[in-house]
Amino acid sequence: MGFPEKFLWGGATAANQCEGAYNVDGKGLSSSDVMTAGSVDRPRQITKEIVEGIYYPSHNAIDHYHHYKEDIALFAEMGFKCYRFSINWTRIFPNGDEESPNEKGLKFYDSLIDECRKYGMEPLITISHYETPVGLTKYGSWVNRKCVDFFVRYCDVIFRRYNGKVKYWLTFNEINCIDSTPWTAAAVEAEDYASHMIAAYHQFLASAKAVQLAHKINPENQVGMMYGGIFSYPNTCDPDDVMQNMAYMQKELFYCDVQCRGYYPNYKLKELERKNIKLPVHEGDLEDLRKGKVDFLSYSYYFSMVCGKNTELKDTFKTGYKNPYLPQTPWNWTVDPKGLRYSLNLLYDRYQIPLFIVENGMGMPDTLEEDGTVHDDYRIDYLRRHIVEMKKAVELDGIPLMGYTTWGPIDLVSAGTGEMKKRYGFIYVDVDDEGKGSFKRYRKDSFYWYQKVISSNGEEL
Ligand code: BGP
């Protein structure tokens, strides 16, 4: 009983949210590097190029680029079995379309990976996590098929370079965000639905080719997809609410359907036909999609949603309903631990492949006490309750779960708002929303708690 012996406990970050050093050692500009800071009620702006005098949170972030040894040592102290991080595409191919890679970028990840392995930590690498090269916008980014080849070239370089040292890969972070946040997800400037569907098609194809390539280079490689965990309940048992909720879930799960099953589901084909959207399918593409099914499904889980007959299905995050049974964080995210077990069952019932929770956590403002401690009992409570439900899914429902990496084991820049004060870490980083601070690291109370969780393989919560 309990979690499997080799369960991958750990934490997850993204390069653009922690590395900083945005223009160091030959790195090019990524989609995140031109996004300003915002807040819960002030959206981040996209400036497309660097404007003097504006503060961009990714430029220094928490300076993990220069602190990675210290940070990984702290993860090791907590007993991490796995560290999920992303390779910043623009460190390897600064503009995305070069013929050959930037050696300094490759070297950085050599060291990062070696550092993980030194402590017996399995690297889990996201190949593209909100870091599309701005240099690709001249082609229309992912709306253009050229991006498939650029991406596969990038994959080829990193799969070969880190062959044997890295076994677990994820292609696109939260691939289902491409329609609601096309710039963040894919540096796509086009705003129309047809372009988004074409960009998604190209990402599916790129991912499927990457899966095949990874297997060819090393049959030990396992490649997963990454779903941005949208799970919603019907507002009432009114069949109209139920049907609208189904449509909402299909809008999101469509991405998993394609990547886990290897073909487009009928409901999506019919919708595209009704809207007169033609996918640019070339000979051999459909076979590639089938051959490039993912080995496992990873996803983020933070909250659940409610959807009903009055929901317009345009914006993923606005359904117009609140769940009266659930509390919310200051960033209006519901806290729904049972929803995690529900989501695990829903996804496993639908795909029957191994699952991996690669993000979960509570973003909160923390207080650093004068003695260097941080008392984050709210975070411990949130994580404990989610792990309890995850355990039930494994023990009682028999879900094959590969691991659990909490989001932001060390405080980092929020993707949604660009703030530092929306903190998720077990480790506090002294830097504020304007990028000011000592960048010193401090262990929070949750640090010691998670250490105990891992050493007891989830028995001591
Ligand atoms: C997911 C992203 C992460 C991360 C997380 C928390 O959507 O994959 O990059 O940031 O959400 O969101 P936020 O940073 O907006 O609190």
Side-chain angles (χ1 to χ4, degrees):
M1 288 296 260
F3 291 100
E5 210 184 303
K6 294 216 162 121
F7 193 70
L8 293 170
W9 295 99
T13 64
N16 74 87
Q17 291 170 258
C18 68
E19 282 179 1
Y22 86 105
N23 60 357
V24 167
D25 291 337
K27 182 183 168 300
L29 273 192
S30 85
S31 50
S32 299
D33 295 329
V34 294
M35 291 180 75
T36 66
S39 68
V40 65
D41 40 28
R42 190 168 38 89
R44 302 181 73 175
Q45 305 296 316
I46 298 152
T47 61
K48 305 276 162 72
E49 53 187 31
I50 307 282
V51 178
E52 270 225 24
I54 289 187
Y55 171 66
Y56 296 92
S58 74
H59 291 196
N60 296 316
I62 58 159
D63 199 26
H64 183 60
Y65 194 78
H66 297 110
H67 288 75
Y68 69 93
K69 287 196 177 167
E70 177 187 351
D71 296 343
I72 291 174
L74 286 164
F75 298 159
E77 197 181 320
M78 277 187 278
F80 277 24
K81 312 275 184 226
C82 172
Y83 175 36
R84 173 186 174 219
F85 58 92
S86 68
I87 291 185
N88 212 327
W89 188 348
T90 55
R91 288 201 192 280
I92 313 301
F93 288 98
N95 291 305
D97 60 354
E98 291 84 350
E99 293 280 326
S100 45
N102 171 31
E103 178 58 27
K104 283 189 177 160
L106 287 167
K107 274 221 166 80
F108 172 67
Y109 295 105
D110 278 335
S111 322
L112 190 64
I113 292 165
D114 288 347
E115 206 60 22
C116 292
R117 300 205 63 85
K118 177 169 122 190
Y119 296 105
M121 232 179 266
E122 197 70 59
L124 164 62
I125 295 188
T126 318
I127 302 170
S128 177
H129 192 136
Y130 299 164
E131 291 141 352
T132 308
V134 170
L136 295 180
T137 55
K138 64 173 176 284
Y139 303 103
S141 190
W142 280 97
V143 184
N144 190 321
R145 191 178 172 103
K146 279 189 194 313
C147 279
V148 176
D149 296 335
F150 296 143
F151 181 81
V152 174
R153 182 189 295 166
Y154 161 49
C155 288
D156 189 66
V157 166
I158 58 176
F159 289 160
R160 289 182 199 283
R161 176 80 170 216
Y162 309 123
N163 187 16
K165 291 184 179 179
V166 178
K167 178 172 161 195
Y168 299 107
W169 302 89
L170 304 176
T171 47
F172 295 95
N173 183 62
E174 301 194 327
I175 189 165
N176 52 313
C177 288
I178 200 161
D179 184 35
S180 50
T181 52
W183 179 264
T184 307
V188 165
E189 296 173 87
E191 282 166 10
D192 59 297
Y193 184 65
S195 299
H196 298 170
M197 286 303 101
I198 290 169
Y201 175 73
H202 288 143
Q203 290 200 339
F204 291 145
L205 198 59
S207 174
K209 284 175 187 278
V211 170
Q212 295 175 70
L213 183 64
H215 290 161
K216 197 172 115 199
I217 291 174
N218 189 339
E220 295 272 293
N221 276 330
Q222 289 196 35
V223 189
M225 69 159 292
M226 200 301 198
Y227 173 64
I230 298 289
F231 300 97
S232 102
Y233 307 120
N235 188 40
T236 71
C237 50
D238 176 345
D240 286 335
D241 281 337
V242 174
M243 289 310 287
Q244 188 66 348
N245 189 57
M246 184 181 82
Y248 179 58
M249 285 308 296
Q250 283 182 333
K251 173 169 106 66
E252 302 298 323
L253 287 174
F254 142 67
Y255 296 84
C256 302
D257 287 350
V258 177
Q259 295 199 285
C260 299
R261 293 174 176 156
Y263 56 91
Y264 272 58
N266 287 352
Y267 63 83
K268 185 52 79 176
L269 292 173
K270 285 288 174 195
E271 184 213 27
L272 296 175
E273 195 181 301
R274 273 195 308 279
K275 294 184 173 158
N276 205 16
I277 298 171
K278 290 205 174 30
L279 297 177
V281 180
H282 291 201
E283 211 190 315
D285 283 6
L286 300 183
E287 201 189 335
D288 267 332
L289 287 184
R290 279 185 196 272
K291 284 192 184 152
K293 279 190 296 185
V294 291
D295 299 311
F296 64 97
L297 192 172
S298 78
Y299 69 108
S300 55
Y301 180 86
Y302 294 92
F303 51 73
S304 62
M305 305 184 74
V306 175
C307 177
K309 58 190 171 198
N310 295 321
T311 299
E312 274 195 61
L313 296 184
K314 281 193 200 128
D315 186 336
T316 295
F317 297 101
K318 290 188 191 124
T319 62
Y321 293 91
K322 275 194 173 169
N323 191 327
Y325 302 100
L326 300 175
Q328 292 194 342
T329 72
W331 279 268
N332 306 326
W333 288 13
T334 55
V335 177
D336 181 15
K338 289 198 172 113
L340 177 59
R341 181 175 173 195
Y342 173 80
S343 70
L344 284 161
N345 277 278
L346 183 145
L347 293 174
Y348 188 64
D349 284 352
R350 201 168 168 120
Y351 306 112
Q352 309 271 303
I353 56 174
L355 303 178
F356 201 140
I357 297 163
V358 293
E359 290 184 28
N360 175 232
M362 187 185 214
M364 288 290 278
D366 291 325
T367 308
L368 178 67
E369 307 292 343
E370 273 183 15
D371 61 358
T373 56
V374 177
H375 305 303
D376 57 343
D377 45 311
Y378 36 87
R379 182 168 295 110
I380 295 175
D381 184 60
Y382 176 100
L383 293 170
R384 173 189 293 129
R385 291 168 58 210
H386 283 77
I387 296 174
V388 164
E389 293 301 322
M390 172 169 88
K391 201 170 176 189
K392 287 184 194 159
V394 171
E395 278 187 356
L396 304 177
D397 308 328
I399 306 284
L401 187 62
M402 298 165 68
Y404 174 77
T405 54
T406 65
W407 177 250
I410 183 163
D411 293 345
L412 38 63
V413 173
S414 156
T417 67
E419 293 167 297
M420 262 313 295
K421 72 163 170 290
K422 192 180 184 191
R423 296 172 182 273
Y424 287 87
F426 302 118
I427 301 157
Y428 185 94
V429 183
D430 176 32
V431 53
D432 66 15
D433 285 343
E434 275 96 51
K436 300 198 181 83
S438 65
F439 290 80
K440 260 190 83 174
R441 275 72 169 146
Y442 298 87
R443 295 166 184 81
K444 302 182 194 176
D445 287 353
S446 56
F447 180 99
Y448 302 102
W449 171 80
Y450 198 46
Q451 189 177 51
K452 204 177 62 186
V453 172
I454 298 179
S455 67
S456 66
N457 200 22
E459 289 306 307
E460 274 181 59
L461 294 170

